[in-house]
Amino acid sequence: MHPRRYDGCFDPEHALTDGTLSLPLSNVDQDRLVGGRYRLRALIGQGGMGAVYEAEHVADGRAVAVKMLLPHLANATEVAARFRREAKAATLLEHPNIVEVFDLVPDNDTLYLVMELIRGQSVAALIESGALRARRSLVIARQVLDGLAHAHAAGLVHRDLKPENIMVSNIGDAGREYDRVKILDFGVVKLVGDAAQQVGDGKLTRTGVVLGTPAYIAPEQALGQLVDGRADLYSMGIVLFEMLTGRTPFRSPDQVTLVRMQASAPIPTLASVAPGRPWCTPELEHLMRRALAKRPEQRFANAGEMIAELDAAFLSLNHLPVDG
């Protein structure tokens, strides 16, 4: 698998899916000691703003992931501020479906974010070869929604939920494996209420500034309007649509066109994109219609509401074979 590169928001940690990648180390040398306690072992992902390494905590031998901000960006005020804020925001989160962040380390004129090392694949990697099974798609989506419910209750809106930022590890004994899901990258998080006061939001969140990824962005986000947790639910709806059908509802090589489509173009039904599929039940179509409503007030009010409807959609698949 080839490493992915990003020219926008820095989120290469999804490449933790590819722990066996052999990539040339850049900007740092293998076995370098960071902050006096983390020894870099292998480069496992890189982007336009930094890189992610597998590392070892020298005191206890624990394997961790270390996200490095490129040195010249460590002096860029807003970029470095977002990096620090991601670390601070992580202290408000403790949930099995959200990646755990351990430390923020300044070292040699740059910054390193130390986090849980996840061995598995991103949803982006899973769907490269096509749609996932319907039941598996819903199980993954439910775990993401569990994590979002926790984040939203803590006052954090992710704002960049997409397949690259959802990691899936296959765990359990042989023959009894199951998926464990983790949400990554709160780098463009919006902080609400007490969370903003605890972490400090400053001028990093501004009305009229569009943040996120065009293929997954909520309509109000695309328009530069104020957003809340319902924007993340819309993005989760897009991700679920892609897991089920193998494609996003809107496709265009032009990013501006994609943003416009999110804001105004009607969302296609699952049946129109995947005709004749036995998993395309009325319950699942209704779930998608609500999740992908253009107006936030027409969507689910919160992740808990969406989970309840997702569970009903899962039960509607009882007529399918076990691997459906």
Side-chain angles (χ1 to χ4, degrees), residues 1-323:
M1 184 178 295
H2 299 293
R4 298 171 184 265
R5 298 191 64 87
Y6 296 89
D7 298 318
C9 295
F10 169 42
D11 59 357
E13 63 263 41
H14 81 278
L16 295 178
T17 62
D18 306 316
T20 59
L21 281 177
S22 177
L23 300 175
L25 292 180
S26 59
N27 300 300
V28 295
D29 297 321
Q30 190 170 5
D31 292 327
R32 175 177 172 179
L33 193 63
V34 171
R37 54 192 181 277
Y38 302 104
R39 191 172 300 281
L40 305 184
R41 293 302 190 190
L43 176 63
I44 52 178
Q46 57 187 354
M49 297 176 71
V52 176
Y53 299 86
E54 181 172 349
E56 178 185 355
H57 192 296
V58 295
D60 58 18
R62 174 171 45 117
V64 296
V66 175
K67 182 163 78 170
M68 181 195 77
L69 188 63
L70 289 177
H72 72 279
L73 293 173
N75 295 319
T77 303
E78 182 165 339
V79 175
R82 286 195 181 281
F83 205 73
R84 290 188 177 93
R85 191 181 64 163
E86 181 180 357
K88 290 181 181 179
T91 65
L92 304 177
L93 300 172
E94 186 176 353
H95 192 275
N97 297 124
I98 298 175
V99 67
E100 186 175 2
V101 174
F102 304 124
D103 204 355
L104 178 67
V105 182
D107 187 272
N108 280 359
D109 299 322
T110 192
L111 295 170
Y112 296 85
L113 190 63
V114 183
M115 67 190 76
E116 174 184 7
L117 178 67
I118 305 168
R119 301 191 186 279
Q121 290 185 291
S122 67
V123 169
L126 291 175
I127 60 182
E128 280 184 351
S129 57
L132 305 184
R133 298 190 310 273
R135 285 195 180 95
R136 188 183 190 190
S137 298
L138 292 173
V139 167
I140 291 172
R142 196 188 197 286
Q143 291 185 57
V144 175
L145 289 169
D146 278 337
L148 288 177
H150 174 75
H152 295 167
L156 279 68
V157 181
H158 191 286
R159 290 200 298 187
D160 197 25
L161 193 69
K162 56 187 175 182
E164 288 83 356
N165 288 337
I166 302 170
M167 287 285 294
V168 181
S169 299
N170 194 247
I171 61 176
D173 299 326
R176 308 177 93 177
E177 298 93 346
Y178 63 94
D179 289 327
R180 173 180 288 170
V181 176
K182 297 274 187 176
I183 303 171
L184 306 177
D185 196 352
F186 283 78
V188 294
V189 64
K190 177 183 178 180
L191 300 158
V192 181
D194 291 343
Q197 296 178 2
Q198 292 179 58
V199 174
D201 207 22
K203 296 181 179 179
L204 294 178
T205 300
R206 301 187 298 271
T207 304
V209 176
V210 177
L211 296 171
T213 302
Y216 304 92
I217 198 171
E220 63 273 22
Q221 212 170 333
L223 295 170
Q225 299 171 351
L226 289 173
V227 302
D228 57 25
R230 293 170 295 183
D232 286 344
L233 302 186
Y234 181 94
S235 298
M236 185 61 242
I238 296 283
V239 174
L240 179 56
F241 190 104
E242 188 174 10
M243 287 193 292
L244 289 166
T245 67
R247 52 154 287 186
T248 54
F250 302 127
R251 295 185 290 183
S252 172
D254 181 64
Q255 302 296 289
V256 174
T257 298
L258 274 176
V259 168
R260 289 173 179 165
M261 294 172 81
Q262 297 287 14
S264 60
I267 295 284
T269 63
L270 292 170
S272 68
V273 175
R277 302 296 173 87
W279 50 258
C280 195
T281 63
E283 291 84 355
L284 192 47
E285 289 279 20
H286 187 260
L287 168 72
M288 299 306 302
R289 280 198 306 273
R290 285 197 66 188
L292 299 178
K294 296 295 183 186
R295 297 169 60 181
E297 62 269 22
Q298 294 176 337
R299 291 179 217 141
F300 300 101
N302 52 57
E305 276 194 9
M306 189 168 172
I307 288 171
E309 192 138 337
L310 186 146
D311 287 346
F314 188 91
L315 291 175
S316 75
L317 304 180
N318 281 343
H319 65 287
L320 296 182
V322 172
D323 62 350

